[in-house]
Amino acid sequence: MSGFELEHPWLLLLLPLALLPLLRRRRDALGYSYLPWLPTDRLGRVAGFFGTAFAVTAMATIVVALAGPGQPESYVSRTGRGAEILVLMDRSRSMDLRMMPSDWRSIDPIIRTHQAWARGPQKSKTARDLLSKFIDERADDRFALMFFSGGPLPAVPFTQRDSLLQAGITAAGIGVGLNETNVGRALTAAIREFDERPYSGSRIILLVSDGGAHLDAATQATVASGLARNRIALYWLYLRSINSPPLDVEDPRTEMAPEIALHRFFQGLRTPYRAYQAEVPEDFERAVADVGKQQNAPLDYLEQIPRRDYSRYFYGAAAFSCLMLLIYRALQLRSWT
Amino acid sequence: MSSPQEFHYRLSRRMGGQRPGSHGGMSLGAGLEFATHMSLFDRPDPRRLDIRASVRAVREEWLVRVNRQRAGIAVHAVIDVSTSMHFGAQKSKLDVAADFVEALGMSAFRVGDVFGMLAFDSIARDDLYAPARLSRGSGIEMANKLRECTGSAGNITGLEQVVAQLAGRQALVFLVSDFHWPLARLGPILEMMSHAFVVPVVVWDEAETQPPDRDAIAPLRDLETGATGTLWLRPSYKKRWRDAVTARRAELDDFFESRSMRAFYMQGAFDADAMSRYFFEAAA
């Protein structure tokens, strides 16, 4: 945690400039014919000392601040417990739609589509609320955050810092959604996140999405083998939209819907798979409990502590010194007349 | 620049010297002031035969009236041109001294006295030396030289060297300085000029004697030594400042009084009337 470094150490060559106020031939001093004539003034000497001291401090601190002091970037080893959960969140345009109201059956089908834009909370909003609640409740788990649309958008690497994750989730609410949903690429990228990490316990990809996709055979193979290789469990938090089928329906007519197709593909995987539906409150609690059931080995990992910059403290000191110098200057006698 | 002011000076004592002038002299000659009677044989000047005195004389001889002659004297200005004399808020002290020299030159010429100047800082300044002579423009010339000169840090050794040239002479000497040195060595120097009538002219500036009106922090630099100091000008300190000035003035007054002299103070400008008054008082 300790350590001190300078970004531009060569700027310290300017440090001797701070000695300028100590030179005896000072322009601002008023000439007087015979100083021993005047009685000595201790208070004045103190004032003069502080005037010089502030001038020296101001110049020295500015030079040091320019040199860029700071605590260097460092790595801290942390021991983590709990699951490693990669949250893969859909940022597509459809996520801006409203949630499927629970009383959808009683609404006239003619206005139902209109209501998809107007009534109830946004899907992405619901998803974000659920996620941040989820992260809050799973304090021991390590989370990573990745958005996807046409491609994967990595947001937060694996960390245990809740504040960082909450900030990332909040950031997902900025602006409108993007216009594509490519689950295949996103899943592949999410699986690749685990490639370089030592296995420490349960690994979960939490897919937060409202739509599915037909994956081609090559992608299906990549996803299946990747999940198996990295021993990743896949959880799907499904946000149902209007005119989308529920996942647990057994209706042959919906078999071709992308959501159901994806669901079927996931169900066919050898790795664990669970699906939760967002409009069912019990499902959320089930998800939390499911994650809690996982057994995890403690894992030592290095966390990067970013460089801390101290120069603003030096600039602050310089500004204070300059302010004191201004006061000193205002009080100063500059001519005899 | 206004024309130089003129002042009158007269001395309370007689001066030697053969050159006729306006001061009470010691030499005998053509004058109105009766001195003594002498025998015609000793002083063969029949125009001054005093018949009444001759008749009354116990020894029967011709007596001649002998008068004293008014004498012209030498006037010397000894000027301190050290760095401290270049100080001054409105007008440097040396400029004030130059005004005085100009006025003195004119006044001396008017009454027919020869006038010369000697200058010193840490050493005798021979480049500013002017021999005593009777010349209408000499005062102006000297004053201009003073106004243009630069000086180094002052020292009483310079005064010693200069005064050595005047030692034992009968003259009127104006010692123009700010007297910013210890007085201990000034005594022997004044004794060297015991035959002369010495007028110490103390030139101080308003900024030296009066602290500024406003309360302020004043970083100061000694013009001669370069030493620095900072003062916090506040009412209590200003009082101490004025007290120090008063004390120095008292010290100078005591010092000169013990040598039967009286200092003439100039502050900011030369006042010719004050100088005339000074001589009236001194001669009274």
mmCIF file of all heavy atoms in Angstrom, chain A residues 232-272:
data_model
loop_
_atom_site.group_PDB
_atom_site.id
_atom_site.type_symbol
_atom_site.label_atom_id
_atom_site.label_comp_id
_atom_site.label_asym_id
_atom_site.label_seq_id
_atom_site.Cartn_x
_atom_site.Cartn_y
_atom_site.Cartn_z
ATOM 1 N N ILE A 232 -18.924 -24.273 -16.459
ATOM 2 C CA ILE A 232 -19.751 -23.102 -16.153
ATOM 3 C C ILE A 232 -21.216 -23.510 -16.157
ATOM 4 O O ILE A 232 -21.679 -24.196 -17.065
ATOM 5 C CB ILE A 232 -19.542 -21.986 -17.190
ATOM 6 C CG1 ILE A 232 -18.063 -21.642 -17.302
ATOM 7 C CG2 ILE A 232 -20.334 -20.753 -16.817
ATOM 8 C CD1 ILE A 232 -17.739 -20.732 -18.448
ATOM 9 N N ALA A 233 -21.907 -23.038 -15.126
ATOM 10 C CA ALA A 233 -23.352 -23.210 -15.112
ATOM 11 C C ALA A 233 -23.992 -21.989 -15.745
ATOM 12 O O ALA A 233 -23.477 -20.881 -15.623
ATOM 13 C CB ALA A 233 -23.845 -23.372 -13.676
ATOM 14 N N LEU A 234 -25.087 -22.217 -16.424
ATOM 15 C CA LEU A 234 -25.740 -21.122 -17.131
ATOM 16 C C LEU A 234 -27.096 -20.882 -16.487
ATOM 17 O O LEU A 234 -27.914 -21.808 -16.368
ATOM 18 C CB LEU A 234 -25.909 -21.517 -18.599
ATOM 19 C CG LEU A 234 -26.458 -20.446 -19.520
ATOM 20 C CD1 LEU A 234 -25.521 -19.257 -19.589
ATOM 21 C CD2 LEU A 234 -26.687 -21.023 -20.908
ATOM 22 N N TYR A 235 -27.298 -19.632 -16.019
ATOM 23 C CA TYR A 235 -28.609 -19.237 -15.487
ATOM 24 C C TYR A 235 -29.177 -18.201 -16.428
ATOM 25 O O TYR A 235 -28.496 -17.288 -16.838
ATOM 26 C CB TYR A 235 -28.475 -18.620 -14.084
ATOM 27 C CG TYR A 235 -28.028 -19.573 -12.994
ATOM 28 C CD1 TYR A 235 -27.655 -20.883 -13.289
ATOM 29 C CD2 TYR A 235 -27.996 -19.164 -11.669
ATOM 30 C CE1 TYR A 235 -27.252 -21.739 -12.292
ATOM 31 C CE2 TYR A 235 -27.598 -20.004 -10.657
ATOM 32 C CZ TYR A 235 -27.218 -21.301 -10.985
ATOM 33 O OH TYR A 235 -26.817 -22.134 -9.989
ATOM 34 N N TRP A 236 -30.433 -18.344 -16.692
ATOM 35 C CA TRP A 236 -31.074 -17.392 -17.600
ATOM 36 C C TRP A 236 -32.179 -16.685 -16.848
ATOM 37 O O TRP A 236 -33.151 -17.316 -16.429
ATOM 38 C CB TRP A 236 -31.602 -18.119 -18.845
ATOM 39 C CG TRP A 236 -32.124 -17.171 -19.894
ATOM 40 C CD1 TRP A 236 -32.062 -15.826 -19.888
ATOM 41 C CD2 TRP A 236 -32.812 -17.534 -21.087
ATOM 42 N NE1 TRP A 236 -32.633 -15.294 -21.007
ATOM 43 C CE2 TRP A 236 -33.107 -16.342 -21.780
ATOM 44 C CE3 TRP A 236 -33.185 -18.764 -21.671
ATOM 45 C CZ2 TRP A 236 -33.760 -16.336 -23.001
ATOM 46 C CZ3 TRP A 236 -33.846 -18.740 -22.888
ATOM 47 C CH2 TRP A 236 -34.130 -17.533 -23.562
ATOM 48 N N LEU A 237 -32.008 -15.399 -16.672
ATOM 49 C CA LEU A 237 -33.077 -14.579 -16.098
ATOM 50 C C LEU A 237 -33.883 -14.032 -17.272
ATOM 51 O O LEU A 237 -33.445 -13.138 -17.974
ATOM 52 C CB LEU A 237 -32.460 -13.455 -15.260
ATOM 53 C CG LEU A 237 -33.408 -12.591 -14.442
ATOM 54 C CD1 LEU A 237 -34.186 -13.435 -13.444
ATOM 55 C CD2 LEU A 237 -32.645 -11.517 -13.706
ATOM 56 N N TYR A 238 -35.040 -14.615 -17.459
ATOM 57 C CA TYR A 238 -35.817 -14.334 -18.670
ATOM 58 C C TYR A 238 -36.835 -13.248 -18.376
ATOM 59 O O TYR A 238 -37.643 -13.341 -17.458
ATOM 60 C CB TYR A 238 -36.505 -15.626 -19.129
ATOM 61 C CG TYR A 238 -37.404 -15.463 -20.312
ATOM 62 C CD1 TYR A 238 -36.871 -15.033 -21.536
ATOM 63 C CD2 TYR A 238 -38.764 -15.746 -20.227
ATOM 64 C CE1 TYR A 238 -37.703 -14.899 -22.633
ATOM 65 C CE2 TYR A 238 -39.593 -15.599 -21.320
ATOM 66 C CZ TYR A 238 -39.054 -15.174 -22.526
ATOM 67 O OH TYR A 238 -39.877 -15.028 -23.609
ATOM 68 N N LEU A 239 -36.749 -12.189 -19.194
ATOM 69 C CA LEU A 239 -37.708 -11.091 -19.045
ATOM 70 C C LEU A 239 -38.711 -11.235 -20.179
ATOM 71 O O LEU A 239 -38.386 -11.007 -21.337
ATOM 72 C CB LEU A 239 -36.979 -9.747 -19.137
ATOM 73 C CG LEU A 239 -35.839 -9.587 -18.145
ATOM 74 C CD1 LEU A 239 -34.742 -8.713 -18.708
ATOM 75 C CD2 LEU A 239 -36.361 -9.004 -16.861
ATOM 76 N N ARG A 240 -39.904 -11.576 -19.804
ATOM 77 C CA ARG A 240 -40.859 -11.894 -20.851
ATOM 78 C C ARG A 240 -41.485 -10.634 -21.410
ATOM 79 O O ARG A 240 -41.855 -9.723 -20.675
ATOM 80 C CB ARG A 240 -41.955 -12.789 -20.251
ATOM 81 C CG ARG A 240 -42.612 -13.647 -21.297
ATOM 82 C CD ARG A 240 -43.612 -14.553 -20.607
ATOM 83 N NE ARG A 240 -44.771 -14.670 -21.450
ATOM 84 C CZ ARG A 240 -45.990 -14.925 -20.990
ATOM 85 N NH1 ARG A 240 -46.166 -15.059 -19.698
ATOM 86 N NH2 ARG A 240 -46.988 -15.034 -21.827
ATOM 87 N N SER A 241 -41.619 -10.560 -22.720
ATOM 88 C CA SER A 241 -42.311 -9.431 -23.326
ATOM 89 C C SER A 241 -43.669 -9.892 -23.811
ATOM 90 O O SER A 241 -43.978 -11.066 -23.847
ATOM 91 C CB SER A 241 -41.527 -8.873 -24.513
ATOM 92 O OG SER A 241 -40.327 -9.501 -24.684
ATOM 93 N N ILE A 242 -44.429 -8.907 -24.201
ATOM 94 C CA ILE A 242 -45.747 -9.197 -24.755
ATOM 95 C C ILE A 242 -45.579 -10.001 -26.039
ATOM 96 O O ILE A 242 -44.657 -9.753 -26.830
ATOM 97 C CB ILE A 242 -46.468 -7.865 -25.004
ATOM 98 C CG1 ILE A 242 -46.840 -7.282 -23.642
ATOM 99 C CG2 ILE A 242 -47.667 -8.041 -25.885
ATOM 100 C CD1 ILE A 242 -47.393 -5.939 -23.666
ATOM 101 N N ASN A 243 -46.389 -10.898 -26.200
ATOM 102 C CA ASN A 243 -46.359 -11.787 -27.362
ATOM 103 C C ASN A 243 -45.198 -12.769 -27.323
ATOM 104 O O ASN A 243 -44.918 -13.433 -28.286
ATOM 105 C CB ASN A 243 -46.300 -11.013 -28.680
ATOM 106 C CG ASN A 243 -47.599 -10.280 -28.924
ATOM 107 O OD1 ASN A 243 -48.637 -10.649 -28.343
ATOM 108 N ND2 ASN A 243 -47.550 -9.261 -29.759
ATOM 109 N N SER A 244 -44.484 -12.794 -26.223
ATOM 110 C CA SER A 244 -43.468 -13.828 -26.103
ATOM 111 C C SER A 244 -44.060 -14.964 -25.292
ATOM 112 O O SER A 244 -44.853 -14.742 -24.380
ATOM 113 C CB SER A 244 -42.238 -13.287 -25.375
ATOM 114 O OG SER A 244 -41.654 -12.299 -26.144
ATOM 115 N N PRO A 245 -43.658 -16.179 -25.623
ATOM 116 C CA PRO A 245 -44.194 -17.295 -24.870
ATOM 117 C C PRO A 245 -43.461 -17.456 -23.557
ATOM 118 O O PRO A 245 -42.295 -17.070 -23.452
ATOM 119 C CB PRO A 245 -43.910 -18.489 -25.784
ATOM 120 C CG PRO A 245 -42.697 -18.070 -26.547
ATOM 121 C CD PRO A 245 -42.742 -16.585 -26.686
ATOM 122 N N PRO A 246 -44.143 -17.966 -22.537
ATOM 123 C CA PRO A 246 -43.407 -18.335 -21.339
ATOM 124 C C PRO A 246 -42.530 -19.556 -21.632
ATOM 125 O O PRO A 246 -42.814 -20.337 -22.531
ATOM 126 C CB PRO A 246 -44.502 -18.672 -20.332
ATOM 127 C CG PRO A 246 -45.719 -18.937 -21.138
ATOM 128 C CD PRO A 246 -45.585 -18.251 -22.450
ATOM 129 N N LEU A 247 -41.413 -19.649 -20.886
ATOM 130 C CA LEU A 247 -40.447 -20.682 -21.214
ATOM 131 C C LEU A 247 -40.969 -22.091 -20.927
ATOM 132 O O LEU A 247 -40.619 -23.046 -21.606
ATOM 133 C CB LEU A 247 -39.171 -20.467 -20.416
ATOM 134 C CG LEU A 247 -38.319 -19.274 -20.854
ATOM 135 C CD1 LEU A 247 -37.087 -19.186 -19.983
ATOM 136 C CD2 LEU A 247 -37.938 -19.358 -22.307
ATOM 137 N N ASP A 248 -41.845 -22.178 -19.922
ATOM 138 C CA ASP A 248 -42.205 -23.520 -19.493
ATOM 139 C C ASP A 248 -43.448 -24.057 -20.208
ATOM 140 O O ASP A 248 -44.073 -24.983 -19.745
ATOM 141 C CB ASP A 248 -42.396 -23.548 -17.979
ATOM 142 C CG ASP A 248 -43.258 -22.365 -17.539
ATOM 143 O OD1 ASP A 248 -43.699 -21.586 -18.428
ATOM 144 O OD2 ASP A 248 -43.474 -22.192 -16.327
ATOM 145 N N VAL A 249 -43.797 -23.461 -21.302
ATOM 146 C CA VAL A 249 -45.000 -23.901 -21.996
ATOM 147 C C VAL A 249 -44.693 -25.161 -22.833
ATOM 148 O O VAL A 249 -43.590 -25.323 -23.333
ATOM 149 C CB VAL A 249 -45.561 -22.749 -22.849
ATOM 150 C CG1 VAL A 249 -44.695 -22.535 -24.071
ATOM 151 C CG2 VAL A 249 -47.000 -23.024 -23.244
ATOM 152 N N GLU A 250 -45.673 -25.976 -22.916
ATOM 153 C CA GLU A 250 -45.492 -27.201 -23.706
ATOM 154 C C GLU A 250 -46.416 -27.125 -24.917
ATOM 155 O O GLU A 250 -47.356 -27.867 -25.074
ATOM 156 C CB GLU A 250 -45.830 -28.439 -22.860
ATOM 157 C CG GLU A 250 -44.898 -28.706 -21.721
ATOM 158 C CD GLU A 250 -43.536 -29.188 -22.184
ATOM 159 O OE1 GLU A 250 -43.405 -29.675 -23.337
ATOM 160 O OE2 GLU A 250 -42.571 -29.073 -21.391
ATOM 161 N N ASP A 251 -46.181 -26.183 -25.756
ATOM 162 C CA ASP A 251 -47.061 -25.985 -26.904
ATOM 163 C C ASP A 251 -46.228 -26.116 -28.167
ATOM 164 O O ASP A 251 -45.271 -25.378 -28.362
ATOM 165 C CB ASP A 251 -47.681 -24.591 -26.812
ATOM 166 C CG ASP A 251 -48.706 -24.345 -27.902
ATOM 167 O OD1 ASP A 251 -48.752 -25.161 -28.849
ATOM 168 O OD2 ASP A 251 -49.429 -23.333 -27.797
ATOM 169 N N PRO A 252 -46.570 -27.035 -29.016
ATOM 170 C CA PRO A 252 -45.744 -27.228 -30.219
ATOM 171 C C PRO A 252 -45.714 -25.996 -31.130
ATOM 172 O O PRO A 252 -44.779 -25.812 -31.895
ATOM 173 C CB PRO A 252 -46.424 -28.423 -30.919
ATOM 174 C CG PRO A 252 -47.608 -28.792 -30.127
ATOM 175 C CD PRO A 252 -47.671 -27.969 -28.897
ATOM 176 N N ARG A 253 -46.751 -25.122 -30.973
ATOM 177 C CA ARG A 253 -46.787 -23.962 -31.867
ATOM 178 C C ARG A 253 -45.672 -22.968 -31.547
ATOM 179 O O ARG A 253 -45.291 -22.157 -32.352
ATOM 180 C CB ARG A 253 -48.125 -23.249 -31.740
ATOM 181 C CG ARG A 253 -49.239 -23.954 -32.473
ATOM 182 C CD ARG A 253 -50.524 -23.243 -32.238
ATOM 183 N NE ARG A 253 -50.843 -23.191 -30.803
ATOM 184 C CZ ARG A 253 -51.821 -22.458 -30.303
ATOM 185 N NH1 ARG A 253 -52.539 -21.688 -31.075
ATOM 186 N NH2 ARG A 253 -52.064 -22.480 -29.030
ATOM 187 N N THR A 254 -45.208 -22.995 -30.338
ATOM 188 C CA THR A 254 -44.183 -22.026 -29.968
ATOM 189 C C THR A 254 -42.777 -22.587 -30.154
ATOM 190 O O THR A 254 -41.790 -21.885 -29.853
ATOM 191 C CB THR A 254 -44.348 -21.622 -28.493
ATOM 192 O OG1 THR A 254 -44.189 -22.797 -27.712
ATOM 193 C CG2 THR A 254 -45.690 -21.019 -28.231
ATOM 194 N N GLU A 255 -42.665 -23.778 -30.634
ATOM 195 C CA GLU A 255 -41.356 -24.382 -30.718
ATOM 196 C C GLU A 255 -40.389 -23.543 -31.555
ATOM 197 O O GLU A 255 -39.183 -23.539 -31.313
ATOM 198 C CB GLU A 255 -41.462 -25.796 -31.344
ATOM 199 C CG GLU A 255 -42.013 -26.844 -30.403
ATOM 200 C CD GLU A 255 -41.192 -26.998 -29.143
ATOM 201 O OE1 GLU A 255 -39.974 -27.243 -29.247
ATOM 202 O OE2 GLU A 255 -41.753 -26.836 -28.039
ATOM 203 N N MET A 256 -40.906 -22.804 -32.538
ATOM 204 C CA MET A 256 -40.001 -22.067 -33.423
ATOM 205 C C MET A 256 -39.644 -20.685 -32.888
ATOM 206 O O MET A 256 -38.825 -19.990 -33.468
ATOM 207 C CB MET A 256 -40.642 -21.927 -34.810
ATOM 208 C CG MET A 256 -40.576 -23.200 -35.624
ATOM 209 S SD MET A 256 -38.913 -23.874 -35.650
ATOM 210 C CE MET A 256 -38.121 -22.711 -36.719
ATOM 211 N N ALA A 257 -40.295 -20.270 -31.810
ATOM 212 C CA ALA A 257 -39.935 -18.957 -31.253
ATOM 213 C C ALA A 257 -38.477 -18.979 -30.793
ATOM 214 O O ALA A 257 -38.027 -19.987 -30.243
ATOM 215 C CB ALA A 257 -40.832 -18.634 -30.068
ATOM 216 N N PRO A 258 -37.714 -17.908 -31.031
ATOM 217 C CA PRO A 258 -36.290 -17.929 -30.703
ATOM 218 C C PRO A 258 -36.058 -18.229 -29.230
ATOM 219 O O PRO A 258 -35.117 -18.932 -28.888
ATOM 220 C CB PRO A 258 -35.812 -16.521 -31.041
ATOM 221 C CG PRO A 258 -36.880 -15.905 -31.845
ATOM 222 C CD PRO A 258 -38.141 -16.657 -31.643
ATOM 223 N N GLU A 259 -36.913 -17.671 -28.357
ATOM 224 C CA GLU A 259 -36.725 -17.886 -26.929
ATOM 225 C C GLU A 259 -36.777 -19.370 -26.597
ATOM 226 O O GLU A 259 -35.947 -19.909 -25.877
ATOM 227 C CB GLU A 259 -37.804 -17.149 -26.127
ATOM 228 C CG GLU A 259 -37.720 -15.638 -26.201
ATOM 229 C CD GLU A 259 -38.356 -15.077 -27.466
ATOM 230 O OE1 GLU A 259 -39.071 -15.819 -28.166
ATOM 231 O OE2 GLU A 259 -38.107 -13.886 -27.768
ATOM 232 N N ILE A 260 -37.799 -20.011 -27.128
ATOM 233 C CA ILE A 260 -37.983 -21.427 -26.820
ATOM 234 C C ILE A 260 -36.838 -22.233 -27.437
ATOM 235 O O ILE A 260 -36.299 -23.164 -26.825
ATOM 236 C CB ILE A 260 -39.342 -21.911 -27.346
ATOM 237 C CG1 ILE A 260 -40.467 -21.069 -26.725
ATOM 238 C CG2 ILE A 260 -39.541 -23.389 -27.023
ATOM 239 C CD1 ILE A 260 -40.535 -21.143 -25.219
ATOM 240 N N ALA A 261 -36.413 -21.834 -28.633
ATOM 241 C CA ALA A 261 -35.329 -22.551 -29.284
ATOM 242 C C ALA A 261 -34.074 -22.491 -28.427
ATOM 243 O O ALA A 261 -33.386 -23.498 -28.220
ATOM 244 C CB ALA A 261 -35.056 -21.951 -30.660
ATOM 245 N N LEU A 262 -33.813 -21.312 -27.923
ATOM 246 C CA LEU A 262 -32.619 -21.134 -27.089
ATOM 247 C C LEU A 262 -32.764 -21.956 -25.804
ATOM 248 O O LEU A 262 -31.825 -22.618 -25.350
ATOM 249 C CB LEU A 262 -32.462 -19.648 -26.753
ATOM 250 C CG LEU A 262 -31.101 -19.206 -26.233
ATOM 251 C CD1 LEU A 262 -30.019 -19.492 -27.257
ATOM 252 C CD2 LEU A 262 -31.120 -17.729 -25.890
ATOM 253 N N HIS A 263 -33.976 -21.916 -25.264
ATOM 254 C CA HIS A 263 -34.247 -22.645 -24.045
ATOM 255 C C HIS A 263 -34.008 -24.148 -24.254
ATOM 256 O O HIS A 263 -33.355 -24.821 -23.442
ATOM 257 C CB HIS A 263 -35.694 -22.376 -23.637
ATOM 258 C CG HIS A 263 -36.091 -22.956 -22.329
ATOM 259 N ND1 HIS A 263 -35.438 -22.659 -21.156
ATOM 260 C CD2 HIS A 263 -37.087 -23.829 -22.001
ATOM 261 C CE1 HIS A 263 -35.997 -23.318 -20.168
ATOM 262 N NE2 HIS A 263 -37.030 -24.053 -20.658
ATOM 263 N N ARG A 264 -34.484 -24.631 -25.382
ATOM 264 C CA ARG A 264 -34.322 -26.051 -25.685
ATOM 265 C C ARG A 264 -32.831 -26.374 -25.828
ATOM 266 O O ARG A 264 -32.361 -27.407 -25.357
ATOM 267 C CB ARG A 264 -35.041 -26.397 -26.990
ATOM 268 C CG ARG A 264 -36.546 -26.274 -26.906
ATOM 269 C CD ARG A 264 -37.200 -27.493 -26.224
ATOM 270 N NE ARG A 264 -38.637 -27.290 -26.133
ATOM 271 C CZ ARG A 264 -39.251 -26.850 -25.033
ATOM 272 N NH1 ARG A 264 -38.572 -26.590 -23.934
ATOM 273 N NH2 ARG A 264 -40.559 -26.672 -25.026
ATOM 274 N N PHE A 265 -32.094 -25.468 -26.501
ATOM 275 C CA PHE A 265 -30.663 -25.718 -26.692
ATOM 276 C C PHE A 265 -29.953 -25.772 -25.335
ATOM 277 O O PHE A 265 -29.155 -26.673 -25.059
ATOM 278 C CB PHE A 265 -30.050 -24.636 -27.571
ATOM 279 C CG PHE A 265 -28.554 -24.560 -27.498
ATOM 280 C CD1 PHE A 265 -27.767 -25.661 -27.881
ATOM 281 C CD2 PHE A 265 -27.916 -23.426 -27.026
ATOM 282 C CE1 PHE A 265 -26.400 -25.592 -27.805
ATOM 283 C CE2 PHE A 265 -26.537 -23.356 -26.951
ATOM 284 C CZ PHE A 265 -25.783 -24.447 -27.335
ATOM 285 N N PHE A 266 -30.307 -24.851 -24.477
ATOM 286 C CA PHE A 266 -29.676 -24.823 -23.155
ATOM 287 C C PHE A 266 -30.017 -26.081 -22.366
ATOM 288 O O PHE A 266 -29.184 -26.641 -21.674
ATOM 289 C CB PHE A 266 -30.115 -23.583 -22.368
ATOM 290 C CG PHE A 266 -29.502 -22.299 -22.871
ATOM 291 C CD1 PHE A 266 -30.111 -21.073 -22.630
ATOM 292 C CD2 PHE A 266 -28.298 -22.324 -23.588
ATOM 293 C CE1 PHE A 266 -29.563 -19.903 -23.088
ATOM 294 C CE2 PHE A 266 -27.754 -21.145 -24.041
ATOM 295 C CZ PHE A 266 -28.375 -19.940 -23.806
ATOM 296 N N GLN A 267 -31.267 -26.474 -22.504
ATOM 297 C CA GLN A 267 -31.675 -27.669 -21.770
ATOM 298 C C GLN A 267 -30.933 -28.898 -22.251
ATOM 299 O O GLN A 267 -30.683 -29.823 -21.490
ATOM 300 C CB GLN A 267 -33.172 -27.887 -21.923
ATOM 301 C CG GLN A 267 -33.969 -27.023 -20.962
ATOM 302 C CD GLN A 267 -35.455 -27.162 -21.185
ATOM 303 O OE1 GLN A 267 -35.912 -27.382 -22.328
ATOM 304 N NE2 GLN A 267 -36.214 -27.041 -20.116
ATOM 305 N N GLY A 268 -30.503 -28.851 -23.512
ATOM 306 C CA GLY A 268 -29.796 -30.013 -24.042
ATOM 307 C C GLY A 268 -28.333 -30.056 -23.666
ATOM 308 O O GLY A 268 -27.637 -31.012 -24.003
ATOM 309 N N LEU A 269 -27.869 -28.992 -22.974
ATOM 310 C CA LEU A 269 -26.442 -28.956 -22.623
ATOM 311 C C LEU A 269 -26.149 -29.968 -21.534
ATOM 312 O O LEU A 269 -27.013 -30.305 -20.728
ATOM 313 C CB LEU A 269 -26.070 -27.549 -22.138
ATOM 314 C CG LEU A 269 -26.073 -26.439 -23.173
ATOM 315 C CD1 LEU A 269 -25.925 -25.108 -22.481
ATOM 316 C CD2 LEU A 269 -24.955 -26.651 -24.174
ATOM 317 N N ARG A 270 -24.846 -30.402 -21.486
ATOM 318 C CA ARG A 270 -24.451 -31.317 -20.433
ATOM 319 C C ARG A 270 -24.207 -30.556 -19.134
ATOM 320 O O ARG A 270 -24.243 -31.110 -18.057
ATOM 321 C CB ARG A 270 -23.185 -32.073 -20.845
ATOM 322 C CG ARG A 270 -23.458 -33.219 -21.808
ATOM 323 C CD ARG A 270 -22.160 -33.816 -22.294
ATOM 324 N NE ARG A 270 -21.437 -32.894 -23.145
ATOM 325 C CZ ARG A 270 -20.157 -32.583 -22.955
ATOM 326 N NH1 ARG A 270 -19.470 -33.083 -21.974
ATOM 327 N NH2 ARG A 270 -19.545 -31.728 -23.780
ATOM 328 N N THR A 271 -23.909 -29.249 -19.251
ATOM 329 C CA THR A 271 -23.635 -28.445 -18.061
ATOM 330 C C THR A 271 -24.941 -28.001 -17.434
ATOM 331 O O THR A 271 -25.975 -27.978 -18.095
ATOM 332 C CB THR A 271 -22.810 -27.208 -18.435
ATOM 333 O OG1 THR A 271 -23.394 -26.629 -19.574
ATOM 334 C CG2 THR A 271 -21.376 -27.585 -18.730
ATOM 335 N N PRO A 272 -24.877 -27.643 -16.125
ATOM 336 C CA PRO A 272 -26.126 -27.243 -15.459
ATOM 337 C C PRO A 272 -26.747 -26.018 -16.112
ATOM 338 O O PRO A 272 -26.046 -25.133 -16.596
ATOM 339 C CB PRO A 272 -25.674 -26.909 -14.034
ATOM 340 C CG PRO A 272 -24.321 -27.486 -13.893
ATOM 341 C CD PRO A 272 -23.729 -27.627 -15.236
#
